[in-house]
């Protein structure tokens, strides 16, 4: 069995550290890919909605948001060059069907060459 290189160990430690930061962040963090599938759903998002990460990851964001809210946000994003810093007032859909009011602040995620990668 070959020993792991220092770069591999450092990469693994960095990834674990980053995952710890995201999971312990004091606000709900949800990351979406370019097809609006949930990629990351932290502990606060789980507490807020009642869904576990395993129940929503790789599923469309419509699992936790109404289509009309998604369409509205998408329209705003298409019409503006800049996202509103104060976010959007909307509601998330909890697992029990309740609607949870939230202020949704959206940031675009970009790949190294600037190509759209998703939303946070």
């Amino acid at each position: 069995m070959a020993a792991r290189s220092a770069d591999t160990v450092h990469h693994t430690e960095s990834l674990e550290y980053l995952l710890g930061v995201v999971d312990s962040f004091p606000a709900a963090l949800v990351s979406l890919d370019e097809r609006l599938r949930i990629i990351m759903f932290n502990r606060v998002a789980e507490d807020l909605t009642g869904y576990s990460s395993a129940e929503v990851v790789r599923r469309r964001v419509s699992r936790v948001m109404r289509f009309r809210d998604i369409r509205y946000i998408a329209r705003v994003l298409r019409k503006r060059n800049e996202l509103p810093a104060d976010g959007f007032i909307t509601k998330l859909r909890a697992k029990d069907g309740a609607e949870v009011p939230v202020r949704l602040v959206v940031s675009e995620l970009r790949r190294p060459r600037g190509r759209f990668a998703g939303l946070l």
Side-chain angles (χ1 to χ4, degrees):
M1 183 160 108
R4 292 187 342 173
S5 73
D7 285 342
T8 302
V9 171
H10 177 71
H11 176 74
T12 300
E13 289 172 353
S14 296
L15 183 58
E16 288 174 4
Y17 178 81
L18 180 59
L19 291 172
V21 168
V22 166
D23 212 35
S24 62
F25 195 74
L29 290 176
V30 179
S31 175
L32 308 175
D33 68 9
E34 62 274 2
R35 298 169 84 191
L36 301 181
R37 290 178 303 204
I38 298 171
I39 299 301
M40 184 268 309
F41 202 75
N42 77 348
R43 199 172 307 169
V44 177
E46 290 178 332
D47 293 343
L48 190 64
T49 64
Y51 285 107
S52 72
S53 182
E55 292 175 294
V56 295
V57 167
R58 295 187 188 89
R59 297 184 191 264
R60 303 275 299 189
V61 70
S62 57
R63 178 87 173 224
V64 296
M65 282 186 75
R66 296 179 300 194
F67 279 114
R68 73 174 193 226
D69 294 336
I70 297 166
R71 281 193 303 268
Y72 169 74
I73 292 168
R75 266 195 318 272
V76 169
L77 294 175
R78 271 190 235 110
K79 290 181 180 180
R80 299 176 132 187
N81 292 334
E82 195 172 295
L83 296 168
D86 59 348
F88 305 90
I89 301 296
T90 189
K91 294 178 182 175
L92 294 181
R93 185 181 309 123
K95 186 175 181 175
D96 66 5
E99 291 190 337
V100 182
V102 295
R103 177 176 301 274
L104 188 68
V105 179
V106 180
S107 297
E108 285 185 291
L109 301 174
R110 298 275 172 190
R111 299 197 188 282
R113 294 187 179 174
R115 200 177 100 224
F116 180 74
L119 300 168
L120 178 66

